[in-house]
Amino acid sequence: MKGRSIASLRDLSREEIEEILKTAGLLKSQLQKGLDHPLLKGKTLAMIFEKPSTRTRVSFEVGMWQLGGYALYLSANDLQLGRGENIADTARTLSRYVNGIMARVFNHQTILDLIKYSSVPVINGLSDFTHPCQGLADLFTIYEKKRRFSGLKLAYIGDANNVAHSLIYGCAKMGIHMTLGCPEGYGPDLEVVTEAKKEAQKNGCEIVVTHNPKEAVRDADIVYTDVWTSMGEEKEHPKRVKIFKPYQVNSRLVKLAKKDYLFMHCLPAHRGEEVTDEVADSKNSIIFDQAENRLHTQKALLVLVM
């Protein structure tokens, strides 16, 4: 995988995902034992942030430090992008200084342009289309807790956004059944679903989309949700709250899942909207394990591509 850019989990084979997860497990174990692993000593990662973040910034910055490298935080105001320099020139210039680029952006095309013009690996830290780093952390966390992928059912409830797209690709590749319960007009990209269904068929699982949250959650091993209003959609919030209210993950809904279900959320959570405190803080909730595992899976990704 050396030198590879990662725009989406669509870009990765099942074997490559397994390699990332295996490497993440090794690095996590070494960290817990207090063992140093300066595998990226002397290397630098440029981190471009069009959108602010807690987990993405801290996990990449700490991860590079733990690997012996250096992470350089660059907001839109820190770059000439804010004054009209195009993506191509920015990518070509940064490639002369750093060993890798991570970008958290609004438009997915920005990621594709960075990859096209950069001569160093580019990692999508989030775009409006997909969130591969979150998807990898989610798969790693699921395997940690369940010790398998095959035969599991993941129910995703709410707005089928960038996180949902990553989960669709990831579940299809790893053999996890996935059912999405979304309001009409807020379902996943049809092309993503079509591609994933073909992949799922090869791996013995199904990708199903329904408007019925109860149908989606019934007998689920994992119940997953995300915010109803993503960054940049704040003006739609009053409208979305009304539409998504029946899709709240609460104690009544999760009773339809298996007793040992796992509750997952990529965070930040708008408690009282997409999820209640009762579920988010329950013994079934693994939301902070997910958050921690962003660190370990991203370190694995950095080591393998840089």
Side-chain angles (χ1 to χ4, degrees), residues 42 99 103 116 126 138 151 160 162 164 176 178 188 241 244 259 282:
N99 305 100
K116 181 178 180 179
L126 175 142
D138 292 339
N162 48 8
I176 301 172
M178 182 174 179
V241 167
F244 283 94
K259 285 187 177 180
S282 71

Side-chain angles (χ1 to χ4, degrees), residues 1 4 6 8-24 132 135-137 139-140 149 166 169-174 199 297 300-301 304:
M1 292 183 66
R4 284 276 301 278
I6 309 297
S8 166
L9 292 191
R10 180 178 182 270
D11 304 335
L12 298 172
S13 67
R14 180 178 180 136
E15 292 71 28
E16 287 169 334
I17 292 174
E18 287 172 345
E19 184 181 6
I20 293 166
L21 302 187
K22 183 179 177 181
T23 304
L136 289 169
L139 290 172
F140 182 67
F149 292 127
S166 289
Y169 283 130
C171 288
K173 288 176 185 288
M174 306 314 289
E199 188 78 26
T297 49
L301 196 56
L304 291 169

Side-chain angles (χ1 to χ4, degrees), residues 51-191:
K51 287 184 170 186
S53 169
T54 300
R55 279 149 290 275
T56 300
R57 178 176 179 177
V58 175
S59 56
F60 269 107
E61 204 161 313
V62 170
M64 277 300 288
W65 179 82
Q66 289 177 354
L67 291 167
Y70 181 74
L72 185 64
Y73 177 84
L74 302 167
S75 72
N77 294 330
D78 295 323
L79 297 168
Q80 292 298 329
L81 282 169
R83 298 180 58 210
E85 183 173 43
N86 63 30
I87 292 291
D89 289 352
T90 298
R92 290 181 178 122
T93 301
L94 287 176
S95 296
R96 302 294 182 102
Y97 299 140
V98 301
N99 305 100
I101 298 170
M102 185 283 297
R104 181 179 168 90
V105 302
F106 284 99
N107 194 319
H108 189 66
Q109 188 60 47
T110 302
I111 295 291
L112 300 181
D113 290 343
L114 282 169
I115 290 172
K116 181 178 180 179
Y117 295 106
S118 172
S119 58
V120 298
V122 175
I123 296 171
N124 179 3
L126 175 142
S127 69
D128 61 350
F129 177 64
T130 188
H131 196 350
C133 291
Q134 184 65 53
L136 289 169
D138 292 339
L139 290 172
F140 182 67
T141 309
I142 290 168
Y143 192 80
E144 264 192 333
K145 302 299 180 182
K146 295 293 189 182
R147 306 313 299 173
R148 65 187 174 98
F149 292 127
S150 182
L152 295 177
K153 176 186 174 181
L154 185 149
Y156 180 94
I157 307 300
D159 186 23
N161 55 17
N162 48 8
V163 172
H165 288 159
S166 289
L167 287 167
I168 291 169
Y169 283 130
C171 288
K173 288 176 185 288
M174 306 314 289
I176 301 172
H177 300 290
M178 182 174 179
T179 302
L180 296 98
C182 313
E184 193 168 353
Y186 295 89
D189 183 275
L190 290 178
E191 188 176 336

Side-chain angles (χ1 to χ4, degrees), residues 44-56:
T44 303
L45 176 73
M47 305 191 305
I48 298 173
F49 281 86
E50 289 183 353
K51 287 184 170 186
S53 169
T54 300
R55 279 149 290 275
T56 300

